[in-house]
């Protein structure tokens, strides 16, 4: 049993080393599968910043191996990726030497496809080399390549974590402008792809410095022995010392590569079959294909049981809504009238409409302004609108008022005389003041 991180990731055995940390095979107790985990091997601020920058990269592409999740435990941090078992291009060339040009075209096309996705996110890898290009263990089937290790990658416009004059990258796979301290840019990655292509075709690490000097002094040389001319033209364009002389984008390089691949000769039956093996080796004692054989201390025992209700990303799956079964109504059998020798037709029963025992209570209209406070605001019952317009209603009311009879004369005349007397008295009183 190994060390457990955050109650979830159990380290199994080391399988490699990256720019800022060691890479382990680890068992994910939540997803119930093996993953690759990069563990930070230094706790200084500089390495931690690079670690944070790498784990923040999220690129979903079949030929890019980007971080999937991360965890922290005390003074250590890690992030996880898919576990790729076929080794790197270094293992492949070490097993077979120079690779056939058709296979090199397949690998370069996948590498440029992944690099195009990286550049689409405005990210410069800055460390493309054979050791950072991993392979799935596909056997004799079609290879599947994964671009990995974004430890020194950076987005365009982000602040650099090193001094301006300090060169970052792997010696032997640096573009000329990188050696001169230029700002990171996409053409530098394409130059490194050209060096990787030459490594696959020749089976040995190319001398980048000699190539740059020869290109600068004599121009583009002829195709080396064993490299078809159409493929060499693509590789030579990637290796131009002047960034302006290379392909503008990885997608443009892919198009040129596809055209060159169509001009290559067909594989011969006696060509060697390339097989990509599992390079990780057997699991150590105490681990099996389904995970650790015994539970390590520090693992949350409830995670496995809780997995049935959680998704792989930690969210909860909602159970389907429970539907109450509706009782099925039994069809009522119509009673047939008793058979009588004199019975011919039954008398039809008169139709009686069925009314509800109590009329439904009308629901008052709720305006949008009072809908949120409906339980605290008294509802004003609505008055049904008149069937006629406002002007028609006023005319009818006026006509009704005009036809209404007044008080009788024997009452109206004394009231008018009394009012005149009161008016005269009041006027006389005002003149006496």
């Amino acid at each position: 049993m190994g060390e457990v991180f955050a109650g979830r990731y159990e380290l199994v055995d080391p399988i490699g080393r990256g720019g800022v940390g060691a890479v382990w095979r680890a068992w994910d107790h939540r997803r119930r599968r093996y993953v690759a985990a990069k563990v930070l091997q230094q706790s200084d601020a500089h390495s931690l910043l690079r670690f944070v920058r790498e784990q923040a990269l999220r690129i979903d592409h079949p030929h890019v191996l980007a971080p999937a999740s991360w965890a922290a435990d005390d003074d250590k941090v890690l992030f996880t990726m898919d576990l790729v078992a076929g080794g790197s291009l270094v293992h492949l060339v070490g097993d077979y030497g120079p690779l056939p040009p058709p296979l090199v075209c397949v690998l370069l096309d996948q590498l440029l496809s992944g690099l195009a996705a990286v550049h689409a996110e405005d990210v410069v890898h800055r460390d493309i080399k054979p050791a950072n290009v991993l392979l799935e263990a596909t056997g004799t089937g079609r290879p599947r390549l994964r671009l990995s290790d974004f430890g020194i990658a950076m987005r365009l416009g982000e602040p650099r974590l090193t001094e301006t004059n300090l060169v970052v990258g792997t010696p032997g796979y640096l573009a000329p402008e990188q050696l001169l301290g230029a700002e990171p840019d996409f053409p530098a990655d394409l130059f490194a792809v050209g060096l990787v292509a030459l490594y696959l075709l020749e089976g040995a690490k190319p001398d980048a410095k000699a190539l740059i000097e020869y290109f600068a002094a004599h121009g583009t040389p002829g195709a080396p022995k064993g490299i078809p001319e159409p493929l060499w033209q693509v590789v030579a364009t990637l290796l131009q010392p002047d960034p302006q002389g290379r392909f503008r984008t990885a997608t443009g390089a892919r198009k040129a590569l596809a055209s060159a691949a169509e001009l290559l000769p067909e594989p011969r039956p006696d060509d060697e079959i390339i097989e990509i093996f599992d390079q990780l080796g057997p699991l150590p004692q105490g681990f099996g294909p389904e995970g650790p054989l015994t539970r390590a201390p520090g693992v949350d025992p409830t995670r496995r049981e809780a997995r049935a209700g959680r998704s792989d990303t930690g969210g909860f799956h909602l159970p389907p809504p429970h539907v109450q079964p509706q009782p099925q109504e039994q069809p009522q059998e119509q009673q047939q009238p008793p058979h009588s020798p004199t019975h011919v037709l039954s008398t039809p029963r008169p139709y009686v409409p069925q009314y509800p025992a109590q009329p439904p209570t009308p629901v008052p209209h709720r305006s949008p302004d009072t809908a949120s406070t409906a339980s605290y605001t008294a509802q004003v019952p609505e008055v049904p609108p008149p069937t006629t317009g406002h002007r028609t209603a006023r005319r009818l009311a006026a006509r009704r008022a005009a036809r209404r009879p007044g008080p009788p004369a024997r009452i109206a005349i004394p009231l008018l005389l009394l009012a005149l007397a009161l008016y005269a008295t009041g006027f006389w009183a005002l003149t006496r003041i």
Side-chain angles (χ1 to χ4, degrees):
M1 63 185 65
E3 183 181 359
V4 178
F5 267 76
R8 175 177 177 180
Y9 302 106
E10 184 172 350
L11 302 184
V12 180
D13 57 341
I15 57 176
R17 185 170 297 278
V20 295
V23 182
W24 288 70
R25 175 164 45 184
W27 175 256
D28 187 345
H29 283 271
R30 180 178 300 176
R31 298 188 181 183
R32 307 295 300 169
R33 67 186 183 96
Y34 286 101
V35 296
K38 178 179 283 191
V39 184
L40 181 63
Q41 61 186 9
Q42 299 182 26
S43 59
D44 59 280
H46 185 272
S47 298
L48 184 59
L49 283 174
R50 290 200 182 278
F51 190 90
V52 170
R53 176 177 285 182
E54 182 173 4
Q55 70 84 23
L57 186 66
R58 295 291 185 269
I59 299 177
D60 186 13
H61 191 273
H63 300 301
V64 175
L65 187 62
S69 61
W70 68 279
D73 199 349
D74 295 334
D75 59 340
K76 298 179 181 179
V77 291
L78 64 77
F79 63 80
T80 65
M81 305 163 287
D82 293 337
L83 185 62
V84 181
S88 67
L89 294 180
V90 175
H91 295 92
L92 188 62
V93 172
D95 290 339
Y96 295 98
L99 301 178
L103 178 61
V104 173
C105 287
V106 174
L107 296 174
L108 283 181
D109 179 71
Q110 295 182 5
L111 177 57
L112 290 170
S113 176
L115 187 60
V118 174
H119 289 174
E121 299 293 331
D122 288 337
V123 175
V124 184
H125 190 282
R126 298 206 296 172
D127 198 19
I128 296 177
K129 58 184 179 180
N132 286 341
V133 181
L134 306 183
L135 298 168
E136 302 279 0
T138 55
T140 57
R142 182 179 177 84
R144 186 184 179 191
L145 173 151
R146 308 287 294 274
L147 177 60
S148 69
D149 201 341
F150 292 82
I152 61 175
M154 65 173 295
R155 294 185 184 273
L156 295 179
E158 280 188 346
R160 301 178 63 169
L161 300 181
T162 55
E163 298 178 4
T164 305
N165 296 328
L166 184 63
V167 179
V168 177
T170 301
Y173 292 94
L174 296 172
E177 62 270 21
Q178 286 180 286
L179 297 173
L180 297 176
E183 289 294 322
D185 206 350
F186 302 146
D189 284 347
L190 295 176
F191 184 87
V193 171
L195 293 175
V196 171
L198 204 57
Y199 171 81
L200 298 177
L201 292 167
E202 295 185 337
K205 181 179 178 180
D207 189 346
K209 182 178 180 181
L211 277 173
I212 294 171
E213 293 176 353
Y214 189 93
F215 271 76
H218 307 285
T220 304
K225 183 180 179 179
I227 301 179
E229 182 65 28
L231 180 57
W232 169 247
Q233 292 300 323
V234 177
V235 175
T237 306
L238 292 169
L239 293 175
Q240 290 297 320
D242 185 4
Q244 300 297 325
R246 301 172 204 151
F247 293 105
R248 296 288 183 180
T249 62
T251 303
R254 284 190 71 194
K255 294 179 179 178
L257 181 65
S259 300
E262 294 178 355
L263 303 177
L264 298 182
E266 294 292 333
R268 295 176 299 178
D270 57 344
D271 287 345
E272 184 180 9
I273 298 177
I274 305 297
E275 182 177 0
I276 302 177
F277 303 96
D278 187 339
Q279 301 285 346
L280 293 182
L283 290 165
Q285 185 178 4
F287 292 88
E290 301 299 325
L293 303 180
T294 58
R295 178 174 293 164
V299 176
D300 188 351
T302 62
R303 287 192 183 276
R304 183 171 184 179
E305 289 75 7
R307 183 179 179 272
R310 286 178 176 266
S311 66
D312 288 342
T313 56
F316 287 94
H317 291 299
L318 294 178
H322 179 68
V323 179
Q324 286 285 2
Q326 298 293 336
Q328 297 182 356
E329 297 182 357
Q330 298 295 335
Q332 298 180 357
E333 298 182 357
Q334 297 181 355
Q335 297 182 358
Q336 300 293 337
H339 178 71
S340 172
T342 60
H343 175 74
V344 180
L345 292 175
S346 60
T347 304
R349 302 175 62 183
Y351 171 74
V352 179
Q354 300 294 329
Y355 296 101
Q358 184 177 358
T361 304
V363 180
H365 176 70
R366 188 175 296 175
S367 64
D369 296 336
T370 60
S372 59
T373 58
S375 57
Y376 306 98
T377 307
Q379 301 294 331
V380 180
E382 290 188 348
V383 178
T387 56
T388 58
H390 295 287
R391 295 182 179 179
T392 305
R394 291 177 181 176
R395 290 174 183 174
L396 291 175
R399 291 176 182 176
R400 291 172 184 173
R403 290 196 298 264
R404 184 178 301 170
R410 58 191 178 87
I411 298 177
I413 293 175
L415 289 176
L416 289 174
L417 293 176
L418 178 61
L420 290 174
L422 292 174
Y423 178 78
T425 305
F427 185 77
W428 176 79
L430 287 174
T431 56
R432 301 297 294 178
I433 295 177

